[in-house]
Amino acid sequence: MQYFQVITKDGYILSIQRIPEGRSEAKSNVTKKKEPVIVQHGVFVDGATWFLNSPKQNLPMILANNGFDVWIPNTRGTKFSRKHTSLDPSNKTYWDWSWDELVTYEMPAIFDFISKQTGGQKIHYVGHSLGTLTALASLAEGKWENQVKSVALLSPVAYLSQMKSILGQIAARSLLSKGYILLRIPEFDVNVLPIVDFIKGICAHPGVNCNELFTALTGENCCLAPSAFNQFMEVGRQSTSARNMFHLAQNVQSGVLTKFDFMSPHLNFWHYGRPTPPVYNLSNIPKNVPIFMSYGGRDALSDVADVKRLLNQHFQNHEADKLSVQFIDNYAHADYAFGVNANDLVYNNVTSFFKRQW
């Protein structure tokens, strides 16, 4: 495993891990140019959560053992990416970002860095949850057009208006009604008292059972190991920004994928030159980019209706041989990252899809 630092144009210093070779290759002297792939995590976790399962079951090692050059970024604000060229995480300005900034600054910096490290090769990308939202928005904005080779989206998130997660629905409503109070606590850290109290308030609502956190938020996951929750609580629970959560809540409420709404025509005009935030037009995603999507029938966040809306509205005219869609009836949101059988059901398909682009 190799470790690097990437500096974004807005000054965030990100850590990124690299697995340049698989286990079998480590014992041989064979060297060949390998295709790079980014494995991007979602919100409230970091790159370490991809490794909760054994090497034979986790996605980065499966890709490495299949001959890929694997790169695992850690998003700003998570444990290993809390540095900045001029700001400290104790400074509220450090947290003045939402997933807009991940699209505008973070992902381009990661792509540029890996491209330079690998001799300008085009890059495969696989993301889960928020990692799919940033990918879709990036492609719509034309940011990866000359750098990406193919894209795999696990539990694709774009529209969130139909999500069945009661915890997620109440959290979104609560954030919008109390959001500017929470924005005074810029780091959304589920371990600190104000956020803990906020979550307890949500858990007090009828129909919400926070004792089963994965189920309450992500749906009835079929295939997690009995130790998955404890492992997640030990390794996971990473911070994000309150503004990021507020932005996601706006997306839930509006049913439209827009940039962050500053809730003031004057502020929006100052940021965007218009009184309302611009829409991410996903129909601008290039029709010839190879895309693999996999979604689950029990996913309470990436709901089936929302995924079908994404496909019907923006991928009807995608080149047929460039789009591959998988549906797994009994899979929910966390199964895609932690499921003990995800290697057989999902990751092998991702690997095969990437290899078809060679």
Side-chain angles (χ1 to χ4, degrees), residues 286-291 315-324:
K287 304 294 186 285
N288 62 346
V289 174
I291 294 178
F315 288 91
Q316 288 281 30
N317 297 318
H318 207 82
E319 292 183 17
D321 62 339
K322 302 292 185 182
L323 180 64
S324 180

Side-chain angles (χ1 to χ4, degrees), residues 176-241:
L176 292 176
S177 64
K178 304 173 183 176
Y180 279 101
I181 297 173
L182 285 174
L183 287 177
R184 295 173 191 167
I185 310 160
E187 178 180 358
F188 199 96
D189 181 352
V190 296
N191 300 303
V192 301
L193 190 58
I195 305 300
V196 169
D197 288 342
F198 173 72
I199 294 171
K200 284 181 179 178
I202 294 170
C203 293
H205 281 74
V208 178
N209 178 11
C210 288
N211 292 325
E212 295 289 342
L213 187 61
F214 274 134
T215 300
L217 185 60
T218 66
E220 292 279 351
N221 297 283
C222 68
C223 305
L224 303 183
S227 60
F229 180 74
N230 289 335
Q231 286 181 303
F232 169 76
M233 294 302 287
E234 183 178 337
V235 176
R237 299 190 301 167
Q238 298 296 317
S239 291
T240 187
S241 70

Side-chain angles (χ1 to χ4, degrees), residues 223-292:
C223 305
L224 303 183
S227 60
F229 180 74
N230 289 335
Q231 286 181 303
F232 169 76
M233 294 302 287
E234 183 178 337
V235 176
R237 299 190 301 167
Q238 298 296 317
S239 291
T240 187
S241 70
R243 180 161 149 181
N244 190 36
M245 296 304 296
F246 197 76
H247 190 183
L248 290 168
Q250 290 175 346
N251 300 146
V252 172
Q253 183 186 53
S254 68
V256 181
L257 200 61
T258 70
K259 296 191 176 183
F260 184 80
D261 189 346
F262 288 88
M263 309 297 285
S264 159
H266 174 75
L267 287 175
N268 282 332
F269 197 88
W270 190 81
H271 283 274
Y272 307 122
R274 47 182 285 172
T276 57
V279 174
Y280 285 101
N281 186 356
L282 301 187
S283 293
N284 288 337
I285 293 173
K287 304 294 186 285
N288 62 346
V289 174
I291 294 178
F292 171 86

